Amino acid sequence: MTQFSPFDTTLWHATATRAPDTGPLEGTVRTDVCVVGGGYTGMTSAIELRRRGHEVVLLEAQEAGFGGSGRNAGHCTPTFSYYSLEELRTHLGTERANRLIARQTKGADMAAEFIRDFQISCEWKQNGYFQGALSPSRMDGIRKKADSYASVGCPSTVVDAAEARRLTGSDRFFGGWLLKSGGHLNPLGYARGLARAVLQEGAQLFTRSKVSKVERQGDKWHVRTDSGEVIADKVIMATGAYTDGGWNGLEKTYRIQKVMLAATSILPEDVRAQVIPFDGTMHDGRGDIFVYKYNAEGRIVASMFPVGKRGRDLEYTRQMLMDRLRWLHPQVPGGTTWDYFWTGELDMQRHTIPRLYDLGPGALACTGLSGRGVPTGTMLGGILADWAEGTAEMDLALPVERLKAAPPYMSFAPEMMLRWYGIKDNFSARRDGVELPPHA
């Protein structure tokens, strides 16, 4: 069995609302669409399909939200991580890219609608996303990004140093970008709420039902587990980075990228009034990202990618994270500790946007969310439901490709890019004569 990071050591496992009562598939079930994978993508696909009148069975190998959906940092930032919007149009073509942009930039609003409609208890706050500029020369890029997202209707603005200080409580920023539609939540609470929504909408959800084989017999798909079988007209494989069998070669379409996450001890109320007072998602603006926000208890939850010693040496990693946090926010008390530390897996691929793969007549796979889980997984359900209903490939918001392995260089490229981003950031800071963050 494929080994993934521990699940029950996360902050979210300790604080999320309980999972709905579900159990494994037993016997034979017939349905219109069988969805494999109980993360955001699989569950929103099931909900969308039920809303359109289709019978749906959802199979999950562990429990709903076991994968990246239940252990991510909880940021809901409806943007693209690598491409600019114009580069995306060049890559996908203008019409398709505009369809994808419209969905992705509404991803947080879609999550808010699910949370409202299904009364999901998940610490949801939609106070915005702030990306800072730690050196003056970074403001040109901030302005371009803000203008680009504003041009497609997003509540996107540039803020000066004084406003950045008021929002964040930090004196380090020379300004920044505020995307007011950004949000944050308890990701496992959201996943478990979506699982309840799947059941409420009338789909069948079976957990502890690892798929061992999917094969075509006649005009039907047979999806087999150890104790049962689903016979379906169509199949959607939505297992992402936590793919573990089920379809040969699917796990080769991406490369696993680890992410590390930590949560502080609960900060006093007077400190929380000074540190991130706007209570949104914070991004320090460096390419080698440091992203953080509060949970409902008043803990700061921070995430970074492991590079070199960072992530391998736990004592060093804890100290580095605290040094970085207190460099940005010296108001954080010196006795603050990291009470939780965990890791997770991303299905990273070269273009950092999801990929759809043709698996045969009426069968599709989706992988490669590349760390954009909450808004992207939420909005993907509509795209996969469109495909299942027969929308022409040219009219989908993502192209459907043949199944193919990620290029070999993806085994080392993400870490090299992070190192390169760090070098560029450090050069920019030295050129501008500003202080470098600790451990930069």
Side-chain angles (χ1 to χ4, degrees):
M1 179 178 177
T2 303
Q3 294 296 310
F4 299 114
S5 299
F7 180 58
D8 57 2
T9 60
T10 72
L11 169 66
W12 314 125
H13 192 271
T15 58
T17 54
R18 64 182 296 271
D21 292 329
T22 55
L25 171 70
E26 295 181 353
T28 300
V29 178
R30 289 172 170 78
T31 190
D32 297 334
V33 183
C34 179
V35 180
V36 181
Y40 302 145
T41 300
M43 290 190 289
T44 58
S45 297
I47 292 167
E48 291 281 356
L49 286 164
R50 283 299 301 143
R51 285 176 165 177
R52 303 183 194 190
H54 303 281
E55 295 300 318
V56 182
V57 171
L58 175 59
L59 301 177
E60 163 56 40
Q62 302 288 337
E63 65 166 279
F66 172 83
S69 295
R71 63 183 85 200
N72 67 77
H75 311 131
C76 187
T77 305
T79 61
F80 297 91
S81 59
Y82 179 72
Y83 282 118
S84 70
L85 301 189
E86 197 51 48
E87 288 171 335
L88 195 65
R89 293 183 181 104
T90 300
H91 173 63
L92 292 177
T94 300
E95 290 188 13
R96 195 190 301 273
N98 284 341
R99 288 194 291 269
L100 182 62
I101 289 166
R103 288 180 183 264
Q104 177 70 6
T105 55
K106 295 297 183 184
D109 294 334
M110 291 180 188
E113 290 176 9
F114 279 123
I115 292 164
R116 180 198 65 215
D117 292 349
F118 295 105
Q119 296 295 292
I120 297 174
S121 176
C122 62
E123 307 178 23
W124 173 246
K125 290 191 176 180
Q126 196 170 9
N127 294 338
Y129 161 80
F130 174 85
Q131 179 178 332
L134 290 172
S135 57
S137 61
R138 290 298 187 191
M139 286 302 295
D140 284 344
I142 288 286
R143 292 187 186 93
K144 289 178 182 177
K145 182 170 284 190
D147 290 345
S148 176
Y149 279 86
S151 72
V152 294
C154 296
S156 169
T157 59
V158 175
V159 302
D160 61 17
E163 179 65 3
R165 188 179 308 113
R166 187 189 72 80
L167 290 168
T168 71
S170 176
D171 293 327
R172 294 291 184 182
F173 298 111
F174 291 84
W177 174 37
L178 179 64
L179 182 65
K180 295 180 182 178
S181 56
H184 62 79
L185 43 64
N186 180 316
L188 182 56
Y190 180 49
R192 288 175 171 175
L194 288 176
R196 291 187 183 88
V198 167
L199 296 170
Q200 183 178 325
E201 288 295 298
Q204 297 183 74
L205 169 59
F206 298 102
T207 53
R208 302 189 302 280
S209 298
K210 180 182 174 181
V211 171
S212 57
K213 190 173 185 180
V214 181
E215 64 179 352
R216 185 82 167 171
Q217 292 185 3
D219 61 350
K220 302 291 183 183
W221 287 98
H222 292 246
V223 184
R224 296 189 174 90
T225 70
D226 288 343
S227 58
E229 177 184 45
V230 178
I231 301 174
D233 296 327
K234 294 187 176 181
V235 173
I236 295 172
M237 300 291 293
T239 47
Y242 291 78
T243 300
D244 184 13
W247 192 282
N248 186 40
L250 187 56
E251 76 286 353
K252 296 179 180 179
T253 61
Y254 55 84
R255 289 291 184 270
I256 290 290
Q257 171 73 40
K258 290 280 190 179
V259 62
M260 59 186 198
L261 308 98
T264 66
S265 48
I266 297 172
L267 299 185
E269 286 188 20
D270 63 323
V271 174
R272 301 203 299 266
Q274 302 173 58
V275 177
I276 332 176
F278 87 115
D279 197 8
T281 295
M282 288 282 302
H283 179 339
D284 69 352
R286 288 175 62 88
D288 180 15
I289 65 171
F290 179 61
V291 186
Y292 53 106
K293 54 92 173 183
Y294 285 112
N295 84 326
E297 301 169 300
R299 302 178 189 272
I300 289 180
V301 182
S303 60
M304 292 188 81
F305 289 107
V307 176
K309 187 178 179 182
R310 187 173 78 205
R312 295 192 178 97
D313 183 329
L314 185 55
E315 183 177 351
Y316 166 80
T317 300
R318 288 177 181 271
Q319 188 62 55
M320 181 277 303
L321 288 170
M322 188 58 67
D323 290 346
R324 184 68 63 90
L325 179 62
R326 296 194 71 242
W327 182 79
L328 289 162
H329 301 281
Q331 309 96 317
V332 173
T336 304
T337 59
W338 295 109
D339 285 358
Y340 293 86
F341 183 88
W342 70 98
T343 57
E345 289 80 18
L346 307 178
D347 49 342
M348 185 67 69
Q349 55 85 29
R350 168 172 180 267
H351 296 298
T352 70
I353 55 175
R355 310 286 285 271
L356 304 183
Y357 295 107
D358 181 6
L359 303 180
L364 190 77
C366 177
T367 66
L369 273 67
S370 303
R372 310 302 290 175
V374 179
T376 306
T378 297
M379 71 85 182
L380 275 170
I383 296 176
L384 295 174
D386 288 345
W387 168 84
E389 288 203 307
T391 298
E393 191 275 343
M394 67 179 63
D395 295 325
L396 292 172
L398 285 166
V400 178
E401 311 169 55
R402 63 178 178 84
L403 190 68
K404 55 189 174 185
Y409 63 75
M410 282 302 298
S411 297
F412 56 85
E415 181 166 337
M416 289 189 65
M417 288 301 296
L418 290 170
R419 292 180 182 277
W420 172 239
Y421 289 149
I423 291 169
K424 288 176 62 179
D425 287 333
N426 292 351
F427 176 79
S428 174
R430 292 190 179 100
R431 183 187 58 202
D432 290 353
V434 299
E435 183 181 345
L436 286 174
H439 310 283

